[in-house]
Amino acid sequence: MKGKNEQRAGLLYGVGAYGMWGLVPLFWPLLRPSGAIEILAHRMVWSLGVVAVALLVVRRWAWIAELVRDPRKLGLIAVAAATITVNWGLYIWAVNNGQVVEASLGYFINPLVTIAMGVLLLGERLRPVQWVAVATGLAAVLVLAIGYGRPPWISLTLAFSFATYGLVKKKVNMGGLESLAAETAVLFVPALGFLLWLTATGESTFTYGGAGHGFLLAATGIVTAVPLICFGAAAIRVPLSTLGLLQYLAPVFQFGLGVLYFHESMPPERWAGFALVWLALSLLTWDALRTARRNRALAAELLATAAAAPASATPTAAAPTAATPAAPLPDPAQQKIT
């Protein structure tokens, strides 16, 4: 019963995390007339404050000394901070400039870009269905480029920056809360310096519209940290395959907001491009679920074989000698899963 309750709680946390990420386009327009860079700087500064409070609550500080003693990991954190800065800044700009649909496309194609980077940078091998999905994604980008009269640069930049961020985070191998704290610590000084410069030149909008606007800018820290905390709670309670399916909630919500709430145009070529992307993602999801099911079946078969092996031995069977060693059971790690 406890396991089921934990999974149910994890599912709720996951829906909450991706739901908040999907609905965040409703928040950024509230910060006008602040520009995207000023909003981004506030997000960096206030996020560190929120994360620091969270770390105080959970009492996680030992990782700081370990990180400071590891120059390689510090360098990776700096790269992660740079890539997420590009991602955050462009996304805020896109939402506040009527490009919510194109921004959502970036997160739809992000899994395809991640797979492509795995092949090109890590030498990973793809299954046939994955190749078809990547090729379909490339066709979608071409269709959209022809329809727009230009490449969908917002979508591509968001997808590649977030895929790069994910790749670096995988190498850093830190918890979500800790890594966000480290990244925002790297960004804190330049972000605070920029905000102070805006204040000195009279360009700051922090006090525009009174305390309400300042509170909304400060709330960017909460908007950043709370979904991540929910995501971390979900990640330890539900299977990775479930999280993989939940991740599509965010761009679905963003796309729906772009079309139904912000009333962005959807000409036929844009529908065609999105349809190809959704087809590619459907293929990826089907292949991932099929592979996970096959792996579970193989693991169960190996366990059954291991359990039956002692019972199948008879008293008259010849004992293995040094000249005729007993054949070992197959190692699941060495099984080629196709």
Side-chain angles (χ1 to χ4, degrees):
M1 180 63 70
K2 184 178 179 181
K4 289 184 178 180
N5 289 337
E6 283 288 296
Q7 286 205 358
R8 189 178 298 112
L11 187 62
L12 291 175
Y13 279 124
V15 171
Y18 286 108
M20 284 185 278
W21 280 324
L23 296 176
V24 78
L26 295 173
F27 178 71
W28 304 125
L30 300 178
L31 304 181
R32 294 183 180 128
S34 300
I37 298 179
E38 183 179 3
I39 296 172
L40 176 64
H42 276 286
R43 186 177 190 181
M44 295 170 179
V45 169
W46 296 107
S47 292
L48 181 60
V50 174
V51 171
V53 171
L55 288 173
L56 278 173
V57 171
V58 299
R59 299 180 181 180
R60 293 184 197 165
W61 300 106
W63 59 273
I64 297 177
E66 297 175 6
L67 179 62
V68 171
R69 291 194 298 265
D70 192 337
R72 176 182 173 275
K73 188 171 284 190
L74 277 174
L76 290 172
I77 286 291
V79 173
T83 55
I84 201 60
T85 297
V86 172
N87 188 273
W88 284 357
L90 180 58
Y91 186 79
I92 294 168
W93 179 90
V95 170
N96 284 353
N97 284 271
Q99 302 293 334
V100 176
V101 169
E102 188 172 345
S104 73
L105 176 63
Y107 295 105
F108 274 124
I109 66 176
N110 176 67
L112 300 171
V113 173
T114 300
I115 288 175
M117 291 179 68
V119 173
L120 297 175
L121 300 180
L122 304 179
E124 295 178 356
R125 298 178 63 182
L126 300 186
R127 295 182 291 273
V129 175
Q130 291 176 312
W131 278 115
V132 173
V134 171
T136 305
L138 288 174
V141 172
L142 288 175
V143 169
L144 290 166
I146 294 171
Y148 282 125
R150 60 169 177 82
W153 67 271
I154 294 175
S155 305
L156 293 174
T157 305
L158 288 174
F160 275 93
S161 61
F162 201 72
T164 303
Y165 177 69
L167 178 64
V168 174
K169 294 266 281 190
K170 182 179 178 67
K171 292 183 176 295
V172 170
N173 192 27
M174 289 175 62
L177 196 61
E178 291 86 345
S179 61
L180 180 62
E183 292 153 20
T184 50
V186 169
L187 300 170
F188 179 81
V189 172
L192 182 61
F194 176 74
L195 292 177
L196 292 175
W197 176 79
L198 286 180
T199 301
T201 58
E203 298 295 324
S204 173
T205 64
F206 185 69
T207 57
Y208 178 90
H213 186 71
F215 173 79
L216 286 174
L217 285 171
T220 55
I222 298 174
V223 169
T224 300
V226 171
L228 184 67
I229 292 171
C230 289
F231 173 80
I236 62 175
R237 289 175 171 84
V238 299
L240 190 61
S241 58
T242 303
L243 279 181
L245 293 175
L246 288 176
Q247 73 174 328
Y248 297 128
L249 283 178
V252 165
F253 285 175
Q254 293 165 11
F255 175 80
L257 287 174
V259 175
L260 302 175
Y261 182 80
F262 294 103
H263 304 293
E264 294 183 16
S265 63
M266 285 293 294
E269 60 271 15
R270 181 176 272 195
W271 279 114
F274 268 85
L276 286 172
V277 169
W278 293 331
L279 174 61
L281 293 178
S282 299
L283 290 171
L284 279 183
T285 302
W286 172 76
D287 181 67
L289 293 175
R290 182 187 63 166
T291 303
R293 191 181 305 114
R294 185 178 297 174
N295 289 346
R296 286 195 298 270
L298 177 61
E301 182 180 342
L302 291 173
L303 287 173
T305 302
S312 63
T314 62
T316 58
T321 65
T324 58
L329 292 172
D331 183 356
Q334 297 176 350
Q335 298 297 308
K336 184 178 179 182
I337 308 299
T338 58

PDB file of all heavy atoms in Angstrom, residues 11-25 104 107-108 242-257 281:
ATOM      1  N   LEU A  11       3.427  10.701  -9.044  1.00  0.00           N
ATOM      2  CA  LEU A  11       2.719  11.090 -10.259  1.00  0.00           C
ATOM      3  C   LEU A  11       2.153  12.502 -10.125  1.00  0.00           C
ATOM      4  O   LEU A  11       2.226  13.313 -11.059  1.00  0.00           O
ATOM      5  CB  LEU A  11       1.600  10.090 -10.547  1.00  0.00           C
ATOM      6  CG  LEU A  11       0.854  10.247 -11.872  1.00  0.00           C
ATOM      7  CD1 LEU A  11       1.805  10.069 -13.048  1.00  0.00           C
ATOM      8  CD2 LEU A  11      -0.290   9.259 -11.964  1.00  0.00           C
ATOM      9  N   LEU A  12       1.591  12.804  -8.946  1.00  0.00           N
ATOM     10  CA  LEU A  12       1.049  14.142  -8.710  1.00  0.00           C
ATOM     11  C   LEU A  12       2.158  15.190  -8.744  1.00  0.00           C
ATOM     12  O   LEU A  12       1.978  16.283  -9.302  1.00  0.00           O
ATOM     13  CB  LEU A  12       0.317  14.182  -7.377  1.00  0.00           C
ATOM     14  CG  LEU A  12      -0.989  13.385  -7.308  1.00  0.00           C
ATOM     15  CD1 LEU A  12      -1.553  13.412  -5.891  1.00  0.00           C
ATOM     16  CD2 LEU A  12      -2.022  13.943  -8.294  1.00  0.00           C
ATOM     17  N   TYR A  13       3.298  14.874  -8.149  1.00  0.00           N
ATOM     18  CA  TYR A  13       4.434  15.794  -8.204  1.00  0.00           C
ATOM     19  C   TYR A  13       4.877  16.026  -9.649  1.00  0.00           C
ATOM     20  O   TYR A  13       5.189  17.156 -10.050  1.00  0.00           O
ATOM     21  CB  TYR A  13       5.613  15.237  -7.393  1.00  0.00           C
ATOM     22  CG  TYR A  13       5.512  15.471  -5.906  1.00  0.00           C
ATOM     23  CD1 TYR A  13       5.572  14.403  -5.009  1.00  0.00           C
ATOM     24  CD2 TYR A  13       5.391  16.761  -5.386  1.00  0.00           C
ATOM     25  CE1 TYR A  13       5.503  14.609  -3.635  1.00  0.00           C
ATOM     26  CE2 TYR A  13       5.313  16.971  -4.017  1.00  0.00           C
ATOM     27  CZ  TYR A  13       5.367  15.899  -3.144  1.00  0.00           C
ATOM     28  OH  TYR A  13       5.300  16.106  -1.795  1.00  0.00           O
ATOM     29  N   GLY A  14       4.927  14.950 -10.432  1.00  0.00           N
ATOM     30  CA  GLY A  14       5.354  15.082 -11.823  1.00  0.00           C
ATOM     31  C   GLY A  14       4.395  15.912 -12.645  1.00  0.00           C
ATOM     32  O   GLY A  14       4.809  16.783 -13.424  1.00  0.00           O
ATOM     33  N   VAL A  15       3.090  15.638 -12.474  1.00  0.00           N
ATOM     34  CA  VAL A  15       2.088  16.438 -13.187  1.00  0.00           C
ATOM     35  C   VAL A  15       2.181  17.897 -12.744  1.00  0.00           C
ATOM     36  O   VAL A  15       2.080  18.821 -13.564  1.00  0.00           O
ATOM     37  CB  VAL A  15       0.676  15.873 -12.931  1.00  0.00           C
ATOM     38  CG1 VAL A  15      -0.390  16.821 -13.469  1.00  0.00           C
ATOM     39  CG2 VAL A  15       0.523  14.492 -13.571  1.00  0.00           C
ATOM     40  N   GLY A  16       2.408  18.109 -11.450  1.00  0.00           N
ATOM     41  CA  GLY A  16       2.541  19.477 -10.967  1.00  0.00           C
ATOM     42  C   GLY A  16       3.736  20.188 -11.567  1.00  0.00           C
ATOM     43  O   GLY A  16       3.641  21.342 -11.991  1.00  0.00           O
ATOM     44  N   ALA A  17       4.888  19.493 -11.631  1.00  0.00           N
ATOM     45  CA  ALA A  17       6.098  20.110 -12.174  1.00  0.00           C
ATOM     46  C   ALA A  17       5.920  20.474 -13.643  1.00  0.00           C
ATOM     47  O   ALA A  17       6.135  21.626 -14.048  1.00  0.00           O
ATOM     48  CB  ALA A  17       7.283  19.165 -12.000  1.00  0.00           C
ATOM     49  N   TYR A  18       5.520  19.497 -14.441  1.00  0.00           N
ATOM     50  CA  TYR A  18       5.387  19.763 -15.876  1.00  0.00           C
ATOM     51  C   TYR A  18       4.191  20.659 -16.170  1.00  0.00           C
ATOM     52  O   TYR A  18       4.200  21.418 -17.145  1.00  0.00           O
ATOM     53  CB  TYR A  18       5.293  18.445 -16.652  1.00  0.00           C
ATOM     54  CG  TYR A  18       6.612  17.731 -16.742  1.00  0.00           C
ATOM     55  CD1 TYR A  18       6.857  16.566 -16.023  1.00  0.00           C
ATOM     56  CD2 TYR A  18       7.632  18.231 -17.543  1.00  0.00           C
ATOM     57  CE1 TYR A  18       8.080  15.919 -16.101  1.00  0.00           C
ATOM     58  CE2 TYR A  18       8.858  17.583 -17.629  1.00  0.00           C
ATOM     59  CZ  TYR A  18       9.077  16.433 -16.905  1.00  0.00           C
ATOM     60  OH  TYR A  18      10.293  15.794 -16.980  1.00  0.00           O
ATOM     61  N   GLY A  19       3.153  20.580 -15.331  1.00  0.00           N
ATOM     62  CA  GLY A  19       2.026  21.482 -15.494  1.00  0.00           C
ATOM     63  C   GLY A  19       2.431  22.929 -15.259  1.00  0.00           C
ATOM     64  O   GLY A  19       2.051  23.836 -16.017  1.00  0.00           O
ATOM     65  N   MET A  20       3.225  23.170 -14.210  1.00  0.00           N
ATOM     66  CA  MET A  20       3.696  24.538 -13.961  1.00  0.00           C
ATOM     67  C   MET A  20       4.602  25.027 -15.074  1.00  0.00           C
ATOM     68  O   MET A  20       4.506  26.188 -15.502  1.00  0.00           O
ATOM     69  CB  MET A  20       4.412  24.597 -12.605  1.00  0.00           C
ATOM     70  CG  MET A  20       3.469  24.581 -11.412  1.00  0.00           C
ATOM     71  SD  MET A  20       4.309  24.785  -9.814  1.00  0.00           S
ATOM     72  CE  MET A  20       4.862  23.106  -9.509  1.00  0.00           C
ATOM     73  N   TRP A  21       5.485  24.158 -15.563  1.00  0.00           N
ATOM     74  CA  TRP A  21       6.335  24.557 -16.691  1.00  0.00           C
ATOM     75  C   TRP A  21       5.491  24.834 -17.935  1.00  0.00           C
ATOM     76  O   TRP A  21       5.814  25.713 -18.728  1.00  0.00           O
ATOM     77  CB  TRP A  21       7.360  23.461 -16.985  1.00  0.00           C
ATOM     78  CG  TRP A  21       8.539  23.489 -16.053  1.00  0.00           C
ATOM     79  CD1 TRP A  21       9.134  24.600 -15.523  1.00  0.00           C
ATOM     80  CD2 TRP A  21       9.254  22.366 -15.542  1.00  0.00           C
ATOM     81  NE1 TRP A  21      10.171  24.238 -14.713  1.00  0.00           N
ATOM     82  CE2 TRP A  21      10.278  22.874 -14.691  1.00  0.00           C
ATOM     83  CE3 TRP A  21       9.145  20.990 -15.694  1.00  0.00           C
ATOM     84  CZ2 TRP A  21      11.185  22.050 -14.024  1.00  0.00           C
ATOM     85  CZ3 TRP A  21      10.037  20.175 -15.027  1.00  0.00           C
ATOM     86  CH2 TRP A  21      11.050  20.688 -14.210  1.00  0.00           C
ATOM     87  N   GLY A  22       4.404  24.096 -18.095  1.00  0.00           N
ATOM     88  CA  GLY A  22       3.548  24.312 -19.254  1.00  0.00           C
ATOM     89  C   GLY A  22       2.731  25.588 -19.183  1.00  0.00           C
ATOM     90  O   GLY A  22       2.405  26.189 -20.204  1.00  0.00           O
ATOM     91  N   LEU A  23       2.403  26.013 -17.954  1.00  0.00           N
ATOM     92  CA  LEU A  23       1.568  27.210 -17.775  1.00  0.00           C
ATOM     93  C   LEU A  23       2.377  28.484 -17.556  1.00  0.00           C
ATOM     94  O   LEU A  23       1.801  29.571 -17.455  1.00  0.00           O
ATOM     95  CB  LEU A  23       0.621  27.005 -16.586  1.00  0.00           C
ATOM     96  CG  LEU A  23      -0.413  25.883 -16.739  1.00  0.00           C
ATOM     97  CD1 LEU A  23      -1.214  25.716 -15.457  1.00  0.00           C
ATOM     98  CD2 LEU A  23      -1.353  26.162 -17.915  1.00  0.00           C
ATOM     99  N   VAL A  24       3.704  28.374 -17.499  1.00  0.00           N
ATOM    100  CA  VAL A  24       4.534  29.545 -17.211  1.00  0.00           C
ATOM    101  C   VAL A  24       4.421  30.656 -18.269  1.00  0.00           C
ATOM    102  O   VAL A  24       4.692  31.820 -17.954  1.00  0.00           O
ATOM    103  CB  VAL A  24       6.005  29.114 -16.996  1.00  0.00           C
ATOM    104  CG1 VAL A  24       6.708  28.836 -18.319  1.00  0.00           C
ATOM    105  CG2 VAL A  24       6.763  30.151 -16.186  1.00  0.00           C
ATOM    106  N   PRO A  25       4.013  30.369 -19.535  1.00  0.00           N
ATOM    107  CA  PRO A  25       3.815  31.485 -20.465  1.00  0.00           C
ATOM    108  C   PRO A  25       2.778  32.508 -19.994  1.00  0.00           C
ATOM    109  O   PRO A  25       2.781  33.650 -20.467  1.00  0.00           O
ATOM    110  CB  PRO A  25       3.341  30.788 -21.753  1.00  0.00           C
ATOM    111  CG  PRO A  25       3.947  29.439 -21.689  1.00  0.00           C
ATOM    112  CD  PRO A  25       3.899  29.070 -20.237  1.00  0.00           C
ATOM    113  N   SER A 104       7.135  26.430 -27.925  1.00  0.00           N
ATOM    114  CA  SER A 104       6.685  25.085 -27.541  1.00  0.00           C
ATOM    115  C   SER A 104       7.277  24.028 -28.463  1.00  0.00           C
ATOM    116  O   SER A 104       7.610  22.922 -28.026  1.00  0.00           O
ATOM    117  CB  SER A 104       5.155  25.004 -27.558  1.00  0.00           C
ATOM    118  OG  SER A 104       4.647  24.978 -28.873  1.00  0.00           O
ATOM    119  N   TYR A 107      10.581  22.553 -27.317  1.00  0.00           N
ATOM    120  CA  TYR A 107      10.561  21.497 -26.298  1.00  0.00           C
ATOM    121  C   TYR A 107       9.946  20.214 -26.828  1.00  0.00           C
ATOM    122  O   TYR A 107      10.189  19.132 -26.271  1.00  0.00           O
ATOM    123  CB  TYR A 107       9.851  22.006 -25.045  1.00  0.00           C
ATOM    124  CG  TYR A 107      10.628  23.133 -24.409  1.00  0.00           C
ATOM    125  CD1 TYR A 107      10.211  24.456 -24.524  1.00  0.00           C
ATOM    126  CD2 TYR A 107      11.820  22.878 -23.738  1.00  0.00           C
ATOM    127  CE1 TYR A 107      10.947  25.497 -23.969  1.00  0.00           C
ATOM    128  CE2 TYR A 107      12.565  23.904 -23.178  1.00  0.00           C
ATOM    129  CZ  TYR A 107      12.129  25.211 -23.297  1.00  0.00           C
ATOM    130  OH  TYR A 107      12.867  26.236 -22.762  1.00  0.00           O
ATOM    131  N   PHE A 108       9.152  20.302 -27.900  1.00  0.00           N
ATOM    132  CA  PHE A 108       8.688  19.083 -28.561  1.00  0.00           C
ATOM    133  C   PHE A 108       9.855  18.364 -29.242  1.00  0.00           C
ATOM    134  O   PHE A 108       9.959  17.132 -29.184  1.00  0.00           O
ATOM    135  CB  PHE A 108       7.613  19.405 -29.604  1.00  0.00           C
ATOM    136  CG  PHE A 108       6.219  19.489 -29.050  1.00  0.00           C
ATOM    137  CD1 PHE A 108       5.451  20.632 -29.237  1.00  0.00           C
ATOM    138  CD2 PHE A 108       5.647  18.432 -28.363  1.00  0.00           C
ATOM    139  CE1 PHE A 108       4.157  20.723 -28.732  1.00  0.00           C
ATOM    140  CE2 PHE A 108       4.362  18.509 -27.854  1.00  0.00           C
ATOM    141  CZ  PHE A 108       3.614  19.660 -28.045  1.00  0.00           C
ATOM    142  N   THR A 242       7.729   6.748 -16.892  1.00  0.00           N
ATOM    143  CA  THR A 242       6.590   7.616 -16.588  1.00  0.00           C
ATOM    144  C   THR A 242       6.973   9.075 -16.692  1.00  0.00           C
ATOM    145  O   THR A 242       6.234   9.889 -17.256  1.00  0.00           O
ATOM    146  CB  THR A 242       6.057   7.314 -15.170  1.00  0.00           C
ATOM    147  OG1 THR A 242       5.712   5.931 -15.079  1.00  0.00           O
ATOM    148  CG2 THR A 242       4.846   8.169 -14.852  1.00  0.00           C
ATOM    149  N   LEU A 243       8.151   9.425 -16.175  1.00  0.00           N
ATOM    150  CA  LEU A 243       8.625  10.807 -16.308  1.00  0.00           C
ATOM    151  C   LEU A 243       8.806  11.178 -17.769  1.00  0.00           C
ATOM    152  O   LEU A 243       8.533  12.315 -18.170  1.00  0.00           O
ATOM    153  CB  LEU A 243       9.951  10.981 -15.564  1.00  0.00           C
ATOM    154  CG  LEU A 243       9.901  11.188 -14.053  1.00  0.00           C
ATOM    155  CD1 LEU A 243      11.310  11.374 -13.515  1.00  0.00           C
ATOM    156  CD2 LEU A 243       9.040  12.390 -13.698  1.00  0.00           C
ATOM    157  N   GLY A 244       9.276  10.221 -18.570  1.00  0.00           N
ATOM    158  CA  GLY A 244       9.461  10.487 -19.991  1.00  0.00           C
ATOM    159  C   GLY A 244       8.165  10.839 -20.697  1.00  0.00           C
ATOM    160  O   GLY A 244       8.140  11.675 -21.600  1.00  0.00           O
ATOM    161  N   LEU A 245       7.079  10.199 -20.273  1.00  0.00           N
ATOM    162  CA  LEU A 245       5.778  10.522 -20.858  1.00  0.00           C
ATOM    163  C   LEU A 245       5.242  11.848 -20.327  1.00  0.00           C
ATOM    164  O   LEU A 245       4.653  12.636 -21.067  1.00  0.00           O
ATOM    165  CB  LEU A 245       4.786   9.392 -20.561  1.00  0.00           C
ATOM    166  CG  LEU A 245       5.076   8.046 -21.235  1.00  0.00           C
ATOM    167  CD1 LEU A 245       4.085   6.996 -20.754  1.00  0.00           C
ATOM    168  CD2 LEU A 245       5.010   8.175 -22.752  1.00  0.00           C
ATOM    169  N   LEU A 246       5.466  12.103 -19.030  1.00  0.00           N
ATOM    170  CA  LEU A 246       4.970  13.343 -18.437  1.00  0.00           C
ATOM    171  C   LEU A 246       5.630  14.578 -19.042  1.00  0.00           C
ATOM    172  O   LEU A 246       5.037  15.662 -19.042  1.00  0.00           O
ATOM    173  CB  LEU A 246       5.201  13.331 -16.924  1.00  0.00           C
ATOM    174  CG  LEU A 246       4.319  12.394 -16.092  1.00  0.00           C
ATOM    175  CD1 LEU A 246       4.747  12.433 -14.630  1.00  0.00           C
ATOM    176  CD2 LEU A 246       2.843  12.776 -16.215  1.00  0.00           C
ATOM    177  N   GLN A 247       6.876  14.439 -19.550  1.00  0.00           N
ATOM    178  CA  GLN A 247       7.587  15.609 -20.047  1.00  0.00           C
ATOM    179  C   GLN A 247       6.868  16.283 -21.217  1.00  0.00           C
ATOM    180  O   GLN A 247       7.065  17.476 -21.457  1.00  0.00           O
ATOM    181  CB  GLN A 247       8.995  15.225 -20.498  1.00  0.00           C
ATOM    182  CG  GLN A 247       9.039  14.432 -21.804  1.00  0.00           C
ATOM    183  CD  GLN A 247      10.454  14.200 -22.288  1.00  0.00           C
ATOM    184  OE1 GLN A 247      11.336  15.028 -22.073  1.00  0.00           O
ATOM    185  NE2 GLN A 247      10.676  13.070 -22.934  1.00  0.00           N
ATOM    186  N   TYR A 248       5.996  15.536 -21.909  1.00  0.00           N
ATOM    187  CA  TYR A 248       5.286  16.132 -23.035  1.00  0.00           C
ATOM    188  C   TYR A 248       4.134  17.031 -22.585  1.00  0.00           C
ATOM    189  O   TYR A 248       3.572  17.769 -23.401  1.00  0.00           O
ATOM    190  CB  TYR A 248       4.753  15.034 -23.969  1.00  0.00           C
ATOM    191  CG  TYR A 248       5.848  14.209 -24.606  1.00  0.00           C
ATOM    192  CD1 TYR A 248       5.838  12.823 -24.543  1.00  0.00           C
ATOM    193  CD2 TYR A 248       6.911  14.820 -25.264  1.00  0.00           C
ATOM    194  CE1 TYR A 248       6.836  12.064 -25.110  1.00  0.00           C
ATOM    195  CE2 TYR A 248       7.923  14.068 -25.834  1.00  0.00           C
ATOM    196  CZ  TYR A 248       7.886  12.695 -25.758  1.00  0.00           C
ATOM    197  OH  TYR A 248       8.894  11.952 -26.317  1.00  0.00           O
ATOM    198  N   LEU A 249       3.793  16.964 -21.293  1.00  0.00           N
ATOM    199  CA  LEU A 249       2.722  17.845 -20.810  1.00  0.00           C
ATOM    200  C   LEU A 249       3.079  19.318 -20.994  1.00  0.00           C
ATOM    201  O   LEU A 249       2.226  20.125 -21.385  1.00  0.00           O
ATOM    202  CB  LEU A 249       2.459  17.573 -19.324  1.00  0.00           C
ATOM    203  CG  LEU A 249       1.651  16.331 -18.946  1.00  0.00           C
ATOM    204  CD1 LEU A 249       1.560  16.229 -17.427  1.00  0.00           C
ATOM    205  CD2 LEU A 249       0.258  16.389 -19.561  1.00  0.00           C
ATOM    206  N   ALA A 250       4.328  19.674 -20.697  1.00  0.00           N
ATOM    207  CA  ALA A 250       4.724  21.088 -20.742  1.00  0.00           C
ATOM    208  C   ALA A 250       4.555  21.691 -22.137  1.00  0.00           C
ATOM    209  O   ALA A 250       3.867  22.708 -22.294  1.00  0.00           O
ATOM    210  CB  ALA A 250       6.144  21.256 -20.231  1.00  0.00           C
ATOM    211  N   PRO A 251       5.147  21.103 -23.199  1.00  0.00           N
ATOM    212  CA  PRO A 251       4.943  21.715 -24.520  1.00  0.00           C
ATOM    213  C   PRO A 251       3.508  21.612 -25.017  1.00  0.00           C
ATOM    214  O   PRO A 251       3.071  22.475 -25.786  1.00  0.00           O
ATOM    215  CB  PRO A 251       5.913  20.944 -25.425  1.00  0.00           C
ATOM    216  CG  PRO A 251       6.201  19.671 -24.718  1.00  0.00           C
ATOM    217  CD  PRO A 251       6.125  20.000 -23.255  1.00  0.00           C
ATOM    218  N   VAL A 252       2.765  20.583 -24.579  1.00  0.00           N
ATOM    219  CA  VAL A 252       1.352  20.508 -24.976  1.00  0.00           C
ATOM    220  C   VAL A 252       0.575  21.689 -24.400  1.00  0.00           C
ATOM    221  O   VAL A 252      -0.204  22.348 -25.097  1.00  0.00           O
ATOM    222  CB  VAL A 252       0.736  19.162 -24.516  1.00  0.00           C
ATOM    223  CG1 VAL A 252      -0.787  19.210 -24.581  1.00  0.00           C
ATOM    224  CG2 VAL A 252       1.240  18.021 -25.383  1.00  0.00           C
ATOM    225  N   PHE A 253       0.805  21.971 -23.107  1.00  0.00           N
ATOM    226  CA  PHE A 253       0.147  23.124 -22.484  1.00  0.00           C
ATOM    227  C   PHE A 253       0.582  24.425 -23.157  1.00  0.00           C
ATOM    228  O   PHE A 253      -0.230  25.318 -23.397  1.00  0.00           O
ATOM    229  CB  PHE A 253       0.483  23.178 -20.994  1.00  0.00           C
ATOM    230  CG  PHE A 253      -0.247  22.156 -20.158  1.00  0.00           C
ATOM    231  CD1 PHE A 253       0.034  22.027 -18.806  1.00  0.00           C
ATOM    232  CD2 PHE A 253      -1.197  21.319 -20.710  1.00  0.00           C
ATOM    233  CE1 PHE A 253      -0.626  21.096 -18.014  1.00  0.00           C
ATOM    234  CE2 PHE A 253      -1.868  20.381 -19.944  1.00  0.00           C
ATOM    235  CZ  PHE A 253      -1.583  20.267 -18.599  1.00  0.00           C
ATOM    236  N   GLN A 254       1.877  24.544 -23.435  1.00  0.00           N
ATOM    237  CA  GLN A 254       2.381  25.764 -24.073  1.00  0.00           C
ATOM    238  C   GLN A 254       1.772  25.953 -25.460  1.00  0.00           C
ATOM    239  O   GLN A 254       1.376  27.069 -25.828  1.00  0.00           O
ATOM    240  CB  GLN A 254       3.912  25.701 -24.165  1.00  0.00           C
ATOM    241  CG  GLN A 254       4.608  25.744 -22.816  1.00  0.00           C
ATOM    242  CD  GLN A 254       6.057  25.318 -22.891  1.00  0.00           C
ATOM    243  OE1 GLN A 254       6.629  25.176 -23.975  1.00  0.00           O
ATOM    244  NE2 GLN A 254       6.676  25.095 -21.736  1.00  0.00           N
ATOM    245  N   PHE A 255       1.703  24.873 -26.211  1.00  0.00           N
ATOM    246  CA  PHE A 255       1.108  24.946 -27.543  1.00  0.00           C
ATOM    247  C   PHE A 255      -0.362  25.352 -27.446  1.00  0.00           C
ATOM    248  O   PHE A 255      -0.833  26.221 -28.204  1.00  0.00           O
ATOM    249  CB  PHE A 255       1.229  23.583 -28.239  1.00  0.00           C
ATOM    250  CG  PHE A 255       0.545  23.508 -29.569  1.00  0.00           C
ATOM    251  CD1 PHE A 255       1.139  24.029 -30.705  1.00  0.00           C
ATOM    252  CD2 PHE A 255      -0.708  22.916 -29.685  1.00  0.00           C
ATOM    253  CE1 PHE A 255       0.507  23.964 -31.940  1.00  0.00           C
ATOM    254  CE2 PHE A 255      -1.349  22.844 -30.908  1.00  0.00           C
ATOM    255  CZ  PHE A 255      -0.739  23.367 -32.038  1.00  0.00           C
ATOM    256  N   GLY A 256      -1.083  24.731 -26.512  1.00  0.00           N
ATOM    257  CA  GLY A 256      -2.494  25.076 -26.344  1.00  0.00           C
ATOM    258  C   GLY A 256      -2.687  26.534 -25.967  1.00  0.00           C
ATOM    259  O   GLY A 256      -3.582  27.211 -26.475  1.00  0.00           O
ATOM    260  N   LEU A 257      -1.837  27.048 -25.079  1.00  0.00           N
ATOM    261  CA  LEU A 257      -1.926  28.463 -24.711  1.00  0.00           C
ATOM    262  C   LEU A 257      -1.633  29.359 -25.902  1.00  0.00           C
ATOM    263  O   LEU A 257      -2.296  30.382 -26.108  1.00  0.00           O
ATOM    264  CB  LEU A 257      -0.948  28.769 -23.574  1.00  0.00           C
ATOM    265  CG  LEU A 257      -1.313  28.245 -22.182  1.00  0.00           C
ATOM    266  CD1 LEU A 257      -0.170  28.494 -21.202  1.00  0.00           C
ATOM    267  CD2 LEU A 257      -2.586  28.920 -21.676  1.00  0.00           C
ATOM    268  N   LEU A 281       7.584  11.867 -32.201  1.00  0.00           N
ATOM    269  CA  LEU A 281       7.533  11.621 -30.761  1.00  0.00           C
ATOM    270  C   LEU A 281       6.706  10.378 -30.437  1.00  0.00           C
ATOM    271  O   LEU A 281       7.030   9.639 -29.492  1.00  0.00           O
ATOM    272  CB  LEU A 281       6.947  12.840 -30.043  1.00  0.00           C
ATOM    273  CG  LEU A 281       7.805  14.109 -30.091  1.00  0.00           C
ATOM    274  CD1 LEU A 281       7.098  15.258 -29.394  1.00  0.00           C
ATOM    275  CD2 LEU A 281       9.174  13.867 -29.467  1.00  0.00           C
TER     276      LEU A 281
END
